Amino acid sequence: MLHTLTYLIGSPGPTGFGSKSTAEQVTPDLRSITAIITGATSGIGAETARVLAKRGARLVLPARSMKAAEEAKARILSECPESEIIVMSLDLSSINSVKNFVANFHSLGLPLHLLINNAGKFAHQHALSEDGVEMTFATNYLGHFVLTNMLVKTMVETAKKTGVQGRIVNVSSSIHGWFSGDVIQYLALISRNKRHYDATRAYALSKLANVFHTKELARRLKQMGANVTVNCVHPGIVRTRLTREREGLLTDLVFFLASKLLKTIPQAAATTCYVATHPRLLNVSGKYFADCNESSTSKLGSNSTQAARLWAVSQFIISRGPKPAFDLLNHLDF
């Protein structure tokens, strides 16, 4: 009850910020910083990009639709004409597309200080990616897993050369707590048979995978001695394109009744911007944030063994493909 009241009135937490804080309020000067932001053509990602550009960061905006990316770039430049913004093609549901994006980014010879894995998809209908993985999981988690792993070396090198700590932010959701059961078994099930597909559970699975990714990557970065951190965030509930995909009287009624709980887009982007940029988070890694303050994941989300297991299976899927990976895992009872 106290947490709900604190959320509704926007009382600041230990950081001095809360649910009513905006992205502009929490973001410091970012001149000399280069950031990649996925999903920056609309909603929370677009606001994150706008604010980082306003604070002086160089932006790389990958997008599936180059038209949408150019339009997002134009909107930012109309407000911040001195901004340096590079748009590039990327389909996160395709491992090959991710590899091509990374190769093209590396060809630019740019440093990389911030990686914000923001893009998200809620697939109402069952679909498989070109790699044979359930589409929501492929887009929200696996594509970002590959992207991050391929960019980490550049981030580590940038941190060494500049002395500026690199930061990776995975945008998750409190909905990760809605998933229960075996992550790998359910992924294999919905990647093979659409009869078992439940859109909400699949989305929750992908958001839990973001939490696991954060936890295991933080452990590995620490083990490497890398001056790079990774954290994940719950941005809050806001009516973005994700939720607008299902229109209708019931949806409109639910959002009307819940209007006091919804954040504005500038408020929803605040936690991402805070975790990505605020000096207070120096050396903070492997944590989960909501309303610009550290929070708790679900019990399953805090399971280090399951996080390491998903990492291993993800690498298996990438190297062998989903079918042989799932077949072998079933045989081994992994």
Side-chain angles (χ1 to χ4, degrees):
M1 180 65 182
L2 180 60
H3 175 76
T4 302
L5 184 60
T6 300
Y7 175 86
L8 287 172
I9 64 178
S11 296
T15 63
F17 302 113
S19 63
K20 302 301 182 185
S21 299
T22 66
E24 287 199 28
Q25 290 171 342
V26 306
T27 307
D29 183 88
L30 296 173
R31 280 171 289 186
S32 79
I33 297 297
T34 299
I36 293 176
I37 309 170
T38 68
T41 58
S42 65
I44 296 168
E47 176 66 3
T48 301
R50 183 190 73 83
V51 172
L52 265 59
K54 191 171 183 178
R55 293 292 184 265
R58 175 199 286 130
L59 302 183
V60 177
L61 306 183
R64 188 172 54 181
S65 166
M66 291 302 291
K67 180 176 182 292
E70 291 290 355
E71 289 172 351
K73 176 180 177 178
R75 287 194 298 270
I76 295 171
L77 289 175
S78 68
E79 181 180 351
C80 313
E82 301 301 315
S83 298
E84 183 179 351
I85 303 171
I86 302 165
V87 298
M88 300 176 69
S89 177
L90 171 63
D91 180 355
L92 281 162
S93 72
S94 163
I95 293 174
N96 189 55
S97 178
V98 175
K99 291 178 178 178
N100 287 337
F101 166 79
V102 173
N104 290 333
F105 173 75
H106 283 155
S107 72
L108 299 175
L110 295 175
L112 182 58
H113 305 86
L114 302 178
L115 172 60
I116 301 178
N117 293 322
N118 166 82
K121 180 181 183 66
F122 187 106
H124 295 290
Q125 302 299 321
H126 180 268
L128 296 180
S129 71
E130 67 179 43
D131 302 299
V133 179
E134 188 278 316
M135 186 63 80
T136 300
F137 188 87
T139 304
N140 295 0
Y141 164 72
L142 193 62
H144 283 128
F145 177 84
V146 177
L147 178 68
T148 303
N149 283 2
M150 294 187 73
L151 290 172
V152 158
K153 183 180 178 182
T154 300
M155 296 191 73
V156 171
E157 290 172 351
T158 298
K160 281 183 179 179
K161 289 178 182 177
T162 65
V164 178
Q165 189 168 77
R167 295 191 188 182
I168 301 165
V169 180
N170 289 329
V171 178
S172 181
S173 168
S174 62
I175 291 173
H176 82 270
W178 295 10
F179 186 87
S180 60
D182 189 287
V183 170
I184 308 305
Q185 286 184 6
Y186 185 63
L187 173 61
L189 196 65
I190 61 176
S191 291
R192 286 170 159 167
N193 195 327
K194 68 179 182 181
R195 288 190 298 109
H196 299 282
Y197 182 73
D198 177 274
T200 301
R201 193 174 186 213
Y203 183 74
L205 169 66
S206 73
K207 296 290 103 178
L208 175 61
N210 295 146
V211 173
F212 281 159
H213 181 209
T214 302
K215 194 170 191 67
E216 179 62 10
L217 180 57
R219 185 189 71 79
R220 289 169 178 259
L221 288 169
K222 183 178 180 181
Q223 192 174 57
M224 290 166 56
N227 189 23
V228 177
T229 65
V230 57
N231 293 288
C232 61
V233 304
H234 165 57
I237 304 170
V238 59
R239 196 172 193 189
T240 65
R241 192 169 66 186
L242 256 184
T243 50
R244 287 200 305 269
E245 284 181 3
R246 178 167 288 178
E247 298 288 357
L249 180 60
L250 180 59
T251 301
D252 291 340
L253 179 60
V254 167
F255 273 94
F256 173 75
L257 294 174
S259 60
K260 295 301 181 183
L261 297 175
L262 295 180
K263 288 186 174 184
T264 65
I265 288 178
Q267 290 168 350
T271 305
T272 299
C273 288
Y274 173 76
V275 173
T277 67
H278 204 278
R280 185 176 184 136
L281 266 69
L282 186 69
N283 298 324
V284 175
S285 194
K287 304 298 183 181
Y288 176 80
F289 289 81
D291 301 328
C292 299
N293 286 272
E294 189 176 333
S295 189
S296 300
T297 65
S298 66
K299 183 178 179 180
L300 181 55
S302 66
N303 191 313
S304 299
T305 301
Q306 293 302 314
R309 178 173 176 249
L310 178 62
W311 184 287
V313 172
S314 300
Q315 290 185 313
F316 206 162
I317 291 171
I318 294 161
S319 63
R320 298 281 297 275
K323 188 179 186 304
F326 294 144
D327 286 345
L328 183 57
L329 292 172
N330 284 339
H331 178 70
L332 295 175
D333 193 26
F334 188 81

